[in-house]
Amino acid sequence: DTGVSQDPRHKITKRGQNVTFRCDPISEHNRLYWYRQTLGQGPEFLTYFQNEAQLEKSRLLSDRFSAERPKGSFSTLEIQRTEQGDSAMYLCASLSGGSTDTQYFGPGTRLTVL
Amino acid sequence: GDSVTQMEGPVTLSEEAFLTINCTYTATGYPSLFWYVQYPGEGLQLLLKATKADDKGSNKGFEATYRKETTSFHLEKGSVQVSDSAVYFCASSGNTPLVFGKGTRLSVIA
């Protein structure tokens, strides 16, 4: 069972640096979601793709954030000029386009901005 | 917009005690409802779900019933184990991205 994978699992960076995270969804899933989870909170939606099209973006996704899914398979989330407030767990989830509405989550990438 | 409210933790129980974690939602239409569990250092795992009113989701001894009249989806387990210690998230999805509650941390002591 190849579930959702994310890389890296942990990232420590200095303020002002750029970081990029990768998500590989379950292979037959055409929808891919990014969420952010801060300490003591539930995940909050950032953006979502159907195949390669980015269909929705949250107001949380500032212009320093950009996400891509160029071939409709894996996705990347880039944060430019990181700030300490970006420290969080970044979660990726995928969903089949069929009848099920269950999102399956990856293990997350924990970002620490010093 | 849609929202989910769940009881605040932490909740500490002795092994074999009865567990209830309350969850209520506000949504336009009739969303699907979920409980996810997050064990220390891990991602979210789906625990159970219900897609329409009066449906009961169940898994690993946990149950939750979709109550449209009270807009609730309370999580219950008759006898908790130490291994159930985790953070539990209630979530709703009405053909939109998931909306999560803040999570309830459960600690079960032997």
Side-chain angles (χ1 to χ4, degrees), chain A residues 9 31 33 35 37 40-45 48 56 89 91 100-108, chain B residues 32 34 36 38 41-46 49-51 89 93 95-103:
Chain A
R9 295 289 306 274
R31 295 188 189 180
Y33 297 79
Y35 294 85
Q37 183 180 18
Q41 301 295 316
E44 296 174 293
F45 167 71
Y48 124 72
E56 190 172 344
M89 176 78 87
L91 296 167
T100 180
D101 54 6
T102 300
Q103 294 184 27
Y104 294 90
F105 282 80
Chain B
S32 295
F34 305 82
Y36 281 85
Q38 189 171 35
E42 298 185 15
L44 294 170
Q45 298 178 23
L46 177 68
K49 72 174 187 180
T51 58
F89 293 93
S93 176
N95 202 28
T96 58
L98 286 165
V99 175
F100 286 88
K102 292 187 175 182

Side-chain angles (χ1 to χ4, degrees), chain A residues 7-63:
Chain A
D7 183 72
R9 295 289 306 274
H10 303 274
K11 178 71 177 178
I12 300 174
T13 191
K14 293 182 179 179
R15 190 175 52 187
Q17 298 295 305
N18 299 344
V19 294
T20 300
F21 311 140
R22 176 179 170 126
C23 170
D24 287 87
I26 294 171
S27 60
E28 65 270 22
H29 286 186
N30 61 1
R31 295 188 189 180
L32 187 150
Y33 297 79
W34 285 99
Y35 294 85
R36 182 176 71 183
Q37 183 180 18
T38 53
L39 199 62
Q41 301 295 316
E44 296 174 293
F45 167 71
L46 291 178
T47 188
Y48 124 72
F49 292 84
Q50 181 155 319
N51 300 313
E52 66 275 10
Q54 189 172 17
L55 295 189
E56 190 172 344
K57 292 194 284 188
S58 157
R59 58 180 173 78
L60 292 176
L61 209 70
S62 77
D63 56 7

Side-chain angles (χ1 to χ4, degrees), chain A residues 45-101:
Chain A
F45 167 71
L46 291 178
T47 188
Y48 124 72
F49 292 84
Q50 181 155 319
N51 300 313
E52 66 275 10
Q54 189 172 17
L55 295 189
E56 190 172 344
K57 292 194 284 188
S58 157
R59 58 180 173 78
L60 292 176
L61 209 70
S62 77
D63 56 7
R64 296 185 297 105
F65 288 69
S66 61
E68 293 183 343
R69 195 182 182 198
K71 298 182 180 179
S73 56
F74 73 90
S75 175
T76 57
L77 177 68
E78 181 182 16
I79 309 174
Q80 295 183 326
R81 305 181 302 282
T82 52
E83 302 173 356
Q84 288 186 325
D86 297 331
S87 296
M89 176 78 87
Y90 290 84
L91 296 167
C92 175
S94 72
L95 171 65
S96 168
S99 59
T100 180
D101 54 6

